[in-house]
Amino acid sequence: AFLSSFILDSVCWEVVGVVKLWNEWCRTSSTTNVLPTDSFCLFYRLISDPTVLLCQCSCYVAEDQQFQWLEKVFGSMQKKGLQVTILSTCPVADYKTQESTLTLVSPFLKALKTKEFQEQVCCPLLEQPNIVRDLPAAVLSYCQVWQIPAVLYQCYTDVIKLDTVTIEAFKPLLSSKVLKSLAKDASESTKILKKFLTTSETHNNIYI
Amino acid sequence: MFIPCDRGGDSAGPDFKGFTLLMPAVSVGNVGQLAIDLVISTLDMTKVGYFYTDCLVPMVGNNPYATAEENSTELSINAEVYSLPSKKLVVLQIRSPFIKNKYRPFCETLLSWVKSSKCARVILLSSSHAYQRDDEQLLGTPLRYLLTPDLEKAVGGRMKELNWKEMEKVAAYPGISDTDKVLHIPGGGITKLLFTESCSEGIQMAVLLKFCSEGDNIPDAFVLVNYLNEWLQLIKSEVSTSNNSTDPSSQWKIPSSWRLLFGNGLPPALF
């Protein structure tokens, strides 16, 4: 959602590819309108700079498919000079800390980076004994092993549904070298954010 | 497959010829993996590469053996290789479970790496369900060992000296016939498969395992690592002057990642 609000738009980006999984399990609000041809893992390319790719993956990639997903996606990419940024969210209840998670101010961002990533990260690093799983972990492992600079920003949130506070927790990333040039105009972002909220709110209230 | 960390220039990567490969089985209580953590942490081993495979669930985190701010930010993945050339020891640590149907491919990849890197022998640390023991196994030591025929020739005598107990075989058809005996390691993960494959491929492998149950397996890890130490003498066991017994448990260094194994702090409002 962060990427959709702050970075993507139909003018500057074009869809260049999809990844389809044989048993796709997707998270979508409009479950009645899902077509077999719908894909929940899309790749966009910046028209003005074809070296910039963006992947929106709104489906769950099972553990026995993660390796193949990686091989297919990274296999068709030039690895020299490649830099990867991953954005992900996770429940704050999974965060291990000396104090109770109830007292933590959430949402908050934590980062993990590969050895080759030399730039400044926009938030504190994820401390042990915390770990990251699933597709973000698979991508980061791949980058660490094949010496590709990569950074993962994990947002710990206590809200299950999509909400603006969690989306805005990613805002520090807009000042990073990578995303600075890609960020959209602030007013437009607010408009899109509002749209996200209204679509989910109509399903929220069961008493009307 | 093994990918070295250092891939600069013409270096072919680290040489493990003649080394002992120490590795865990992902088994009940994760005892083997905990024991390996103790070995890597105590001997301050250096990471030399990754075992990149599609057989394990992916996971990443920062350096689990960090001792200071400076060395805490190195990324670790689910299977990594550490080495200590002074003791001719190379260690593979596995940090996540196996993906369904991937036991056999993993064993094949691992054994072919053992052969190509010319490791002298493999030691597998494992565990087995304590509740599956028979009446005789309930008495005495919960530790067992297994040796492939090739390693039996080399170190079988040493095991006798140490008074170690070999893992018993069980009846293939209990209650029906007691003549056919098979190896049975419930809860041992890839232990049995790896052992039988090593036997048939002529690889020198030893399995060291402990009977245990799921729970707080830190004491089990200490027992297993001390068992290993009786043979390999990785650390010196100091004789305690007060009660004249050797207790090397205190000399194993617990890694920083073992914090909070049983959850976070409690919210004060609970009380």
Side-chain angles (χ1 to χ4, degrees):
Chain A
F2 171 75
L3 286 176
S4 297
S5 322
F6 290 91
I7 311 280
L8 269 181
D9 68 43
S10 55
V11 177
C12 304
W13 297 81
E14 56 171 358
V15 178
V16 291
V18 300
V19 172
K20 284 188 112 26
L21 304 164
W22 69 271
N23 65 342
E24 229 167 72
W25 166 29
C26 50
R27 280 185 293 249
T28 172
S29 49
S30 57
T31 40
T32 48
N33 298 344
V34 177
L35 299 168
T37 48
D38 272 343
S39 180
F40 296 92
C41 189
L42 293 164
F43 286 84
Y44 298 87
R45 181 170 58 194
L46 188 61
I47 297 177
S48 55
D49 183 2
T51 61
V52 181
L53 283 173
L54 194 153
C55 172
Q56 278 265 49
C57 194
S58 14
C59 62
Y60 176 70
V61 182
E63 59 193 27
D64 58 344
Q65 296 171 323
Q66 284 158 10
F67 196 83
Q68 284 74 24
W69 190 99
L70 279 175
E71 294 291 307
K72 279 261 141 54
V73 170
F74 282 89
S76 48
M77 271 200 261
Q78 165 86 294
K79 289 196 213 14
K80 195 161 161 203
L82 178 65
Q83 186 171 304
V84 180
T85 305
I86 311 158
L87 277 68
S88 167
T89 49
C90 170
V92 74
D94 285 351
Y95 185 69
K96 289 204 171 27
T97 173
Q98 198 64 39
E99 62 224 37
S100 156
T101 47
L102 280 180
T103 51
L104 280 177
V105 178
S106 66
F108 57 90
L109 270 187
K110 289 284 175 183
L112 276 179
K113 60 186 174 78
T114 62
K115 198 166 176 182
E116 305 292 315
F117 188 81
Q118 304 295 343
E119 282 170 35
Q120 194 80 331
V121 289
C122 312
C123 63
L125 290 178
L126 185 64
E127 324 80 6
Q128 272 287 341
N130 290 290
I131 58 168
V132 172
R133 293 175 238 258
D134 300 326
L135 193 62
V139 176
L140 208 61
S141 301
Y142 183 94
C143 293
Q144 173 75 354
V145 172
W146 301 113
Q147 298 176 328
I148 299 169
V151 63
L152 160 66
Y153 289 102
Q154 175 113 305
C155 181
Y156 286 90
T157 175
D158 52 2
V159 183
I160 312 168
K161 290 218 169 337
L162 193 60
D163 75 303
T164 43
V165 182
T166 308
I167 298 176
E168 295 198 327
F170 281 105
K171 260 187 158 157
L173 270 72
L174 290 175
S175 58
S176 77
K177 200 163 138 204
V178 166
L179 295 181
K180 210 172 182 157
S181 47
L182 303 173
K184 284 192 288 202
D185 185 29
S187 56
E188 221 197 289
S189 312
T190 341
K191 241 190 342 194
I192 303 181
L193 268 181
K194 273 218 176 81
K195 205 171 72 160
F196 268 124
L197 272 197
T198 40
T199 21
S200 57
E201 259 171 32
T202 44
H203 299 275
N204 260 352
N205 204 330
I206 62 171
Y207 295 106
I208 292 183
Chain B
M1 55 182 177
F2 175 68
I3 315 282
C5 284
D6 248 327
R7 298 207 279 287
D10 301 316
S11 79
D15 181 20
F16 300 132
K17 190 170 174 185
F19 276 39
T20 297
L21 170 65
L22 186 62
M23 62 173 285
V26 182
S27 56
V28 61
N30 305 106
V31 179
Q33 295 158 285
L34 291 172
I36 296 283
D37 260 353
L38 285 172
V39 172
I40 297 173
S41 172
T42 310
L43 300 178
D44 203 15
M45 296 180 80
T46 325
K47 180 157 70 175
V48 295
Y50 309 99
F51 201 79
Y52 191 60
T53 170
D54 63 338
C55 304
L56 296 166
V57 173
M59 55 97 6
V60 290
N62 272 329
N63 184 11
Y65 311 112
T67 45
E69 188 75 41
E70 296 81 48
N71 59 18
S72 65
T73 57
E74 205 186 302
L75 200 67
S76 272
I77 67 166
N78 56 5
E80 297 186 315
V81 180
Y82 297 78
S83 111
L84 190 64
S86 59
K87 288 202 192 288
K88 289 197 110 175
L89 186 66
V90 56
V91 173
L92 166 68
Q93 175 63 306
I94 300 175
R95 300 195 172 98
S96 60
F98 281 92
I99 290 175
K100 207 171 153 178
N101 299 329
K102 291 290 190 179
Y103 274 23
R104 193 167 282 276
F106 181 81
C107 290
E108 286 166 4
T109 317
L110 180 77
L111 292 179
S112 86
W113 175 53
V114 167
K115 283 193 262 194
S116 65
S117 58
K118 298 192 175 45
C119 286
R121 58 190 180 180
V122 182
I123 301 177
L124 183 69
L125 297 184
S126 178
S127 52
S128 183
H129 282 305
Y131 66 77
Q132 292 265 16
R133 289 176 292 179
D134 62 26
D135 293 344
E136 276 179 38
Q137 288 172 320
L138 281 170
L139 306 165
T141 173
L143 295 159
R144 296 288 187 277
Y145 77 94
L146 277 169
L147 298 173
T148 56
D150 295 83
L151 192 56
E152 174 81 50
K153 293 178 207 144
V155 302
R158 180 83 184 112
M159 302 305 170
K160 296 230 169 7
E161 273 173 44
L162 288 167
N163 215 9
W164 279 10
K165 212 162 173 184
E166 193 173 2
M167 183 70 173
E168 305 91 334
K169 288 198 171 155
V170 297
Y173 308 103
I176 301 173
S177 148
D178 268 348
T179 44
D180 285 326
K181 297 265 188 190
V182 290
L183 193 59
H184 186 47
I185 309 175
I190 58 167
T191 306
K192 185 175 160 182
L193 181 61
L194 203 54
F195 182 72
T196 45
E197 290 291 297
S198 300
C199 287
S200 53
E201 303 213 16
I203 292 181
Q204 296 197 5
M205 173 180 281
V207 174
L208 268 60
L209 67 85
K210 182 180 189 296
F211 289 117
C212 67
S213 304
E214 292 277 354
D216 182 358
N217 299 105
I218 293 176
D220 298 311
F222 274 103
V223 170
L224 190 60
V225 82
N226 285 330
Y227 189 52
L228 174 72
N229 200 44
E230 280 177 34
W231 174 23
L232 292 189
Q233 296 291 303
L234 294 170
I235 62 167
K236 286 206 176 9
S237 28
E238 281 166 14
V239 179
S240 156
T241 44
S242 53
N243 51 7
N244 230 5
S245 66
T246 48
D247 179 24
S249 299
S250 49
Q251 288 137 276
W252 296 105
K253 190 163 102 183
I254 292 184
S256 51
S257 55
W258 280 21
R259 286 172 55 231
L260 303 171
L261 277 174
F262 297 100
N264 290 344
L266 297 167
L270 198 63
F271 306 107

